[in-house]
Amino acid sequence: MSSSGVRSPFPLDLDTVTGSSLLTEEVIVMTVAGQDTEVVRALEALEDDRSSVRLRAALAIGATPDPRYVDRLVERCATEPEFFVRDMLTWALTRHPASLTLPALLRELRSERAQARSQALHTLSKTGDRQVWPAITRELLTDADDEVARSAWRAAVVLVPEGQEPALATVLATQLGRGGRQTQLSLSQALVSLGEVMVPALLRAETAPDPHIRAHALATQRLLRNPDAGFTDAVEEAKRVVALGGSGQEGR
């Protein structure tokens, strides 16, 4: 009976209230335990010998973001051998809050492991967050490892603040003539994406003593003028011009 003298239609005694509370606590504990189990299973799957299992694990993690995944995702990026799995790891990271992922990714830029640096740069480029621009240093843009340098070039042209494109072009131009076809193509694409602001840096490179630098600069210039031109054709044409002693500026 209530204090007002009216009998409650739902009488509750202490045992009922206590039992109900205990049941609720058990459900909560079981739910949390179940969630913990799912997290553990997903993290274990990231280390599976089968790339298909690792791929599915990264997909599942991205579909259900949880702060507990972030550090392991970043760590796995540094060692994952399969490109498609690495790309899924990057996607999973972009599904988490930047406040959690950026500090971990920025730490990776100082890693001694080249893949850690490269994949962190790749992931940062996907976030599109320009506050990390100061971390895209000249050291990374000129990294001795081609994959790191290529990732840095791609990240830089995405993250560069307005007004700093000419300075970036000047640094990128110091890498002209470097590496094989894929490395040179990546650099040319990065420079072309900057547009006309990179032309002065290219013009300086077209008079360099090294014929490889001159040819690469000419090929990049041709790509800027004709984006539909194939890179291989542009390089071969540039090599012919250099071999004949031309600067590539004739007829401009």
Side-chain angles (χ1 to χ4, degrees):
M1 182 173 295
S2 67
S3 59
S4 62
V6 179
R7 183 181 297 276
S8 171
F10 306 107
L12 295 176
D13 56 30
L14 183 59
D15 290 340
T16 301
V17 173
T18 304
S20 177
S21 299
L22 289 174
L23 180 60
T24 301
E25 291 178 3
E26 289 175 0
V27 171
I28 293 173
V29 170
M30 290 174 64
T31 301
V32 172
Q35 293 174 344
D36 286 344
T37 300
E38 289 300 314
V39 170
V40 170
R41 286 177 178 172
L43 294 177
E44 288 178 345
L46 287 179
E47 307 296 330
D48 196 277
D49 290 339
R50 295 161 294 180
S51 61
S52 60
V53 174
R54 300 196 302 274
L55 184 67
R56 288 196 299 271
L59 176 60
I61 288 172
T64 56
D66 187 300
R68 291 172 291 181
Y69 290 132
V70 172
D71 286 342
R72 188 67 66 83
L73 286 172
V74 173
E75 291 172 5
R76 187 65 202 177
C77 282
T79 58
E80 172 56 49
E82 297 294 333
F83 169 79
F84 292 110
V85 179
R86 290 200 302 272
D87 225 32
M88 190 63 75
L89 292 169
T90 283
W91 173 77
L93 280 166
T94 64
R95 296 273 295 158
H96 289 77
S99 60
L100 297 177
T101 59
L102 292 187
L105 291 169
L106 292 175
R107 285 194 299 271
E108 290 294 277
L109 297 184
R110 300 189 294 273
S111 172
E112 294 183 359
R113 186 187 292 269
Q115 184 173 305
R117 302 195 301 277
S118 176
Q119 198 63 24
L121 285 161
H122 175 64
T123 305
L124 287 170
S125 74
K126 296 300 182 182
T127 67
D129 194 328
R130 292 189 172 183
Q131 69 172 310
V132 306
W133 169 248
I136 312 299
T137 61
R138 187 185 185 99
E139 287 73 21
L140 288 170
L141 293 169
T142 60
D143 197 284
D145 186 278
D146 284 347
E147 287 305 312
V148 175
R150 291 173 65 192
S151 294
W153 302 336
R154 289 190 290 263
V157 297
V158 170
L159 302 172
V160 60
E162 185 176 355
Q164 295 196 37
E165 295 90 347
L168 174 59
T170 297
V171 176
L172 294 182
T174 66
Q175 303 302 291
L176 287 165
R178 168 180 175 166
R181 181 184 181 282
Q182 287 303 317
T183 298
Q184 293 193 5
L185 173 59
S186 292
L187 181 60
S188 291
Q189 290 172 332
L191 284 164
V192 168
S193 72
L194 293 175
E196 294 290 334
V197 299
M198 61 88 165
V199 171
L202 280 187
L203 293 178
R204 291 191 294 271
E206 287 173 8
T207 60
D210 189 329
H212 295 94
I213 295 176
R214 296 203 304 276
H216 193 184
L218 285 170
T220 304
Q221 185 80 281
R222 290 176 188 277
L223 284 182
L224 177 65
R225 302 304 177 199
N226 182 13
D228 295 328
F231 182 69
T232 299
D233 291 340
V235 169
E236 292 305 315
E237 176 61 23
K239 287 180 179 178
R240 285 193 290 271
V241 171
V242 170
L244 293 172
S247 65
Q249 300 182 36
E250 297 83 355
R252 287 183 183 172

